[in-house]
């Protein structure tokens, strides 16, 4: 009898928790229909990755600049307006990542991207010196060499009549090579090529699995997910990405320990590779081996996939705009004359037109289209109180294509970043902004300038179909449903 009373009380309590009128102020805001218990989960059920991407944009059209989506007991506020985005990104304490990021925690651990609080602070301090301009300058040699290798590979294909290239795999090889050599101090030579391929394939599969999991609410639970075939596939991918990262750590640790005092000039200049800084920090007990592993996984992913995405979309846009290619070519000629040498770091810095091109690429195709936060401290968004425990999604992709911020928002016009026109300071945030901004943004811009200038000095690019734009899908970074092909013609 007693346990029946207990059970009845328990059921009443659970029902009360589920159906009680919620006092969350976010209920005042519009959003897709909410059902008892599941909230708005039905709006996402079974959506493909590209439908998911469109759905989030559709919400803005249907409900306005602030949209609330409730999934089970989670309140997720989507913001699309520049002022709201500024308020969220500049908050000094609301820097914790939201729920979906936990799906990639088994891969990236509590590295810089996912950690928060004191751990994030400490790590950011250890890692910031890697991205000092003097260190970046020493990476120039790698950017140059890898850019030249990429051009050679393209020349080879053109000479074999394979001038129409699926750019993404080629470009992501390039960015993976550069991040491994600059930040990890490890050259990806031929004996690692199979591991490299497995790594890249596994990263792609992880993205798909994470997105599928996101739209299937019963798989949000870690235990259920681990038993599901999707969870099993995920575990296999983890083995591949981790074993690749571990081999990189092992290789650099051995050369770090064996280096002793007799550093050659060249090695010395690369001494501050990110992995060396971490290995040094380990000797001071500031980080342990697991921590190093987390950061290597984080930087290997963030450092290669984001930049590869931007470059892939960039080449697509350039192929469609011969005039922009010619302006880049002319700028290189003014700065470098007829010489075929690569630009120095300061010459890259002087390429102001190319700078505007890269901004315009990242405006139209920000590699990270939206970012999420879990609120740890109540704050006001206009007259709405956003309370602790709620989540906020910042829509970078949508905001950067708003007509009120950018006239003719869909057009690729690098000049808009040269005209000196005044714009809201948060209207361009492909690297996020505020305390949790991208630590690698100068690295990324330098790498992109280096490789785009090298490609344009050697080739004319043409589209397969003028004006065609790919279908975009929601993934860890911006991806397309079909490959992006570009035709390369030797100058
Ligand atoms: C075009 C290239 C890139 C873009 C568009 C980009 C964009 C971003 C964005 C939007 C964030 C914030 C993510 C969030 O709050 O969830 C971020 C964070 C981060 N990025 Fe990048 N990124 C790029 C390249 C790089 C590179 C080359 C590296 C490393 C070498 C890097 C390392 C990181 C790391 C470690 C974080 C986490 C920083 C923190 O929370 O303290 N990124 N990036």
């Amino acid at each position: 009898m007693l346990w029946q009373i207990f059970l009845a009380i328990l059921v009443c309590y659970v029902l009360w928790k589920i159906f009680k009128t919620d006092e969350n102020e976010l209920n005042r805001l519009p959003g897709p229909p909410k059902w008892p218990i599941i909230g708005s989960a039905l709006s996402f059920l079974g959506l493909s990755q590209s439908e998911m991407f469109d759905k989030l944009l559709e919400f803005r059209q249907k409900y306005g600049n602030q949209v609330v989506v409730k999934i089970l007991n989670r309140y997720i506020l989507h913001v699309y307006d520049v002022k709201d985005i500024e308020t969220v990104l500049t908050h000094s304490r609301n820097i914790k990542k939201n729920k979906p990021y936990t799906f990639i925690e088994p891969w990236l651990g509590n590295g810089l991207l996912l950690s928060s609080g004191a751990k994030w602070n400490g790590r950011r301090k250890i890692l910031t010196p890697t991205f000092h301009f003097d260190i970046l300058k020493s990476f120039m040699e790698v950017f140059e060499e890898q850019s030249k290798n990429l051009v050679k590979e393209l020349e080879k294909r053109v000479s074999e009549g394979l001038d129409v290239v699926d750019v993404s795999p080629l470009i992501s090889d390039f960015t993976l090579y550069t991040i491994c050599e600059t930040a990890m101090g490890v050259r990806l030579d031929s004996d690692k090529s199979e591991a490299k391929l497995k790594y890249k394939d596994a990263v792609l599969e992880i993205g798909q699995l994470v997105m599928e999991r996101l739209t299937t609410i019963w798989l949000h639970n870690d235990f259920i997910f681990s038993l599901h075939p999707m969870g099993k596939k995920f575990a296999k991918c983890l083995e591949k990405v981790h074993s690749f990262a571990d081999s990189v750590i092992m290789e650099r640790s051995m050369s770090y320990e064996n280096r002793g005092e007799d550093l050659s000039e060249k090695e010395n200049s690369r001494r501050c590779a990110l992995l060396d800084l971490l290995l040094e920090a380990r000797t001071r007990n500031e980080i342990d081996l697991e921590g190093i592993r987390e950061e290597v996984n984080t930087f290997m992913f963030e450092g290669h996939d984001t930049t590869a995405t931007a470059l892939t979309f960039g080449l697509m846009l350039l192929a469609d705009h011969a005039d922009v290619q010619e302006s880049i070519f002319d700028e290189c000629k003014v700065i470098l004359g007829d010489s075929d040498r690569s630009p120095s770091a300061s010459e890259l810095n002087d390429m102001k037109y190319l700078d505007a091109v890269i901004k315009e690429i990242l405006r139209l195709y920000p590699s990270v289209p939206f970012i999420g936060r879990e609120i740890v401290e109540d704050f006001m968004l206009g007259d709405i109180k956003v309370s602790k425990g709620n989540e906020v999604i910042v829509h970078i992709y949508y905001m950067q294509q708003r007509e009120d911020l950018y006239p003719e928002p869909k057009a690729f016009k690098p000049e808009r970043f040269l005209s000196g026109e005044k714009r809201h300071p948060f209207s361009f945030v492909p690297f996020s902004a505020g305390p949790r901004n991208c630590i690698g943004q100068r690295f990324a811009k330098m790498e992109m300038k280096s490789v785009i200038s090298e490609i344009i000095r050697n080739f004319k690019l043409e589209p397969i179909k003028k004006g065609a734009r790919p279908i975009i899908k929601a993934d860890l970074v911006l991806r397309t449903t079909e490959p992006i092909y570009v035709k390369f013609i030797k100058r």
Side-chain angles (χ1 to χ4, degrees):
M1 182 66 182
L2 207 61
W3 72 266
Q4 281 160 325
I5 294 171
F6 174 73
L7 195 69
I9 293 173
L10 188 71
V11 169
C12 289
Y13 175 74
V14 171
L15 289 174
W16 172 76
K17 274 295 245 185
I18 292 167
F19 291 112
K20 84 183 157 87
T21 328
D22 215 314
E23 279 160 17
N24 196 324
E25 270 208 41
L26 295 187
N27 276 322
R28 281 169 48 200
L29 295 174
K34 301 180 192 83
W35 299 91
I37 306 177
I38 56 170
S40 313
L42 288 180
S43 307
F44 299 97
L45 198 65
L47 291 188
S48 68
Q49 286 173 273
S50 58
E51 287 165 339
M52 170 86 167
F53 191 81
D54 290 345
K55 179 65 82 186
L56 296 176
L57 299 182
E58 190 190 301
F59 283 165
R60 160 65 188 80
Q61 303 310 342
K62 248 185 171 159
Y63 306 111
N65 281 326
Q66 297 176 334
V67 177
V68 172
V69 176
K70 190 170 180 258
I71 306 281
L72 302 175
N73 57 349
R74 291 166 53 210
Y75 277 85
I76 308 154
L77 168 63
H78 291 251
V79 294
Y80 301 82
D81 177 68
V82 67
K83 284 201 206 86
D84 287 347
I85 289 180
E86 174 176 16
T87 309
V88 175
L89 293 183
T90 51
H91 198 288
S92 58
R93 286 166 305 281
N94 280 324
I95 55 169
K96 189 175 173 194
K97 302 299 170 80
N98 72 332
K99 168 96 181 171
Y101 288 80
T102 59
F103 295 165
I104 50 173
E105 221 172 84
W107 171 25
L108 306 183
N110 255 312
L112 198 62
L113 182 71
L114 303 184
S115 58
S116 57
K119 185 167 184 182
W120 170 77
N121 235 319
R123 292 279 174 88
R124 183 104 187 183
K125 273 202 191 105
I126 298 177
L127 293 163
T128 296
T130 309
F131 299 96
H132 187 278
F133 187 65
D134 287 338
I135 308 290
L136 291 183
K137 267 198 324 207
S138 75
F139 294 163
M140 272 303 292
E141 209 181 305
V142 179
F143 294 154
E144 265 169 50
E145 189 186 344
Q146 294 301 345
S147 301
K148 284 204 165 8
N149 287 347
L150 175 64
V151 164
K152 268 191 220 141
E153 175 61 30
L154 287 167
E155 277 170 352
K156 186 169 149 261
R157 294 195 185 193
V158 171
S159 71
E160 289 166 356
L162 304 169
D163 54 356
V164 174
V165 177
D166 172 5
V167 280
S168 172
L170 208 60
I171 290 291
S172 63
D173 267 2
F174 162 80
T175 56
L176 190 58
Y177 286 148
T178 52
I179 194 69
C180 282
E181 203 170 335
T182 52
M184 312 301 163
V186 168
R187 250 184 113 87
L188 282 187
D189 38 36
S190 52
D191 64 314
K192 293 213 184 60
S193 61
E194 209 201 322
K196 172 202 79 186
L197 275 180
K198 277 195 191 156
Y199 172 81
K200 289 205 311 176
D201 287 348
V203 169
L204 288 176
E205 199 174 346
I206 287 176
Q208 281 157 15
L209 292 169
V210 165
M211 287 302 143
E212 254 178 86
R213 186 176 177 192
L214 208 58
T215 55
T216 322
I217 47 170
W218 52 90
L219 293 179
H220 286 196
N221 177 283
D222 287 338
F223 180 67
I224 299 177
F225 182 67
S226 70
L227 299 176
H228 191 271
M230 218 196 276
K232 295 202 162 90
K233 271 195 214 161
F234 187 74
K236 282 213 175 95
C237 291
L238 285 185
E239 270 172 36
K240 290 180 201 155
V241 288
H242 283 157
S243 95
F244 183 62
D246 286 347
S247 70
V248 166
I249 299 175
M250 185 74 83
E251 183 167 325
R252 190 63 181 178
S253 311
M254 281 188 336
S255 67
Y256 180 81
E257 278 157 23
N258 294 337
R259 231 170 6 176
E261 293 305 305
D262 52 334
L263 287 170
S264 70
E265 197 54 31
K266 198 168 171 185
E267 275 174 321
N268 204 7
S269 69
R270 301 256 180 86
R271 202 188 162 145
C272 282
L274 171 133
L275 187 46
D276 285 359
L277 271 177
L278 292 169
L279 293 167
E280 257 169 53
R282 188 176 172 216
T283 64
R284 297 190 300 271
N285 288 328
E286 287 170 10
I287 192 166
D288 58 13
L289 198 58
E290 192 44 39
I292 294 184
R293 210 173 173 228
E294 291 171 345
E295 297 307 347
V296 167
N297 278 295
T298 298
F299 277 82
M300 223 141 72
F301 162 62
E302 276 287 313
H304 104 273
D305 218 3
T306 46
T307 319
T309 300
L311 283 168
T312 302
F313 283 107
L315 294 182
M316 174 195 82
L317 289 166
L318 288 172
D320 231 8
H321 293 83
D323 54 333
V324 177
Q325 293 179 48
E326 285 325 289
S327 302
I328 297 174
F329 187 78
D330 292 346
E331 182 172 73
C332 290
K333 259 214 138 54
V334 170
I335 292 173
L336 298 162
D338 287 329
S339 142
D340 65 352
R341 70 175 174 83
S342 301
S344 64
S346 84
E347 284 165 336
L348 275 191
N349 206 32
D350 291 340
M351 296 185 180
K352 302 296 176 207
Y353 183 75
L354 184 52
D355 212 57
V357 170
I358 288 170
K359 281 190 177 145
E360 184 65 344
I361 294 169
L362 288 169
R363 180 186 73 82
L364 283 169
Y365 294 104
S367 318
V368 183
F370 22 74
I371 55 186
R373 295 278 190 271
E374 182 187 316
I375 302 311
V376 293
E377 183 180 300
D378 296 359
F379 75 106
M380 295 301 291
L381 206 57
D383 61 347
I384 294 280
K385 182 170 146 200
V386 186
S387 317
K388 186 174 167 186
N390 292 322
E391 296 169 44
V392 180
I393 307 288
V394 165
H395 282 263
I396 300 175
Y397 177 89
Y398 177 85
M399 188 267 287
Q400 292 188 164
Q401 294 190 31
R402 286 183 71 116
E403 197 151 17
D404 52 349
L405 298 172
Y406 297 96
E408 288 184 74
K410 301 272 176 207
F412 178 59
K413 286 179 151 186
E415 298 72 29
R416 51 174 116 234
F417 286 103
L418 289 171
S419 61
E421 195 184 304
K422 280 230 170 333
R423 231 175 258 120
H424 191 288
F426 282 73
S427 59
F428 179 72
V429 287
F431 294 104
S432 185
R436 211 73 216 242
N437 68 353
C438 173
I439 196 173
Q441 57 182 294
R442 286 202 298 188
F443 178 109
K445 280 194 233 160
M446 216 163 176
E447 180 178 14
M448 286 179 74
K449 276 184 148 181
S450 176
V451 69
I452 293 180
S453 59
E454 196 63 34
I455 290 176
I456 296 298
R457 287 167 79 198
N458 283 281
F459 298 96
K460 285 188 178 184
L461 277 46
E462 280 181 5
I464 304 310
K465 190 166 167 233
K466 180 107 183 114
R469 291 289 175 265
I471 297 173
I472 293 182
K473 59 182 189 180
D475 205 304
L476 299 176
V477 292
L478 209 61
R479 295 196 205 283
T480 55
T481 51
E482 299 293 330
I484 290 179
Y485 292 101
V486 168
K487 185 170 177 183
F488 289 80
I489 300 149
K490 185 79 188 136
R491 281 190 191 264

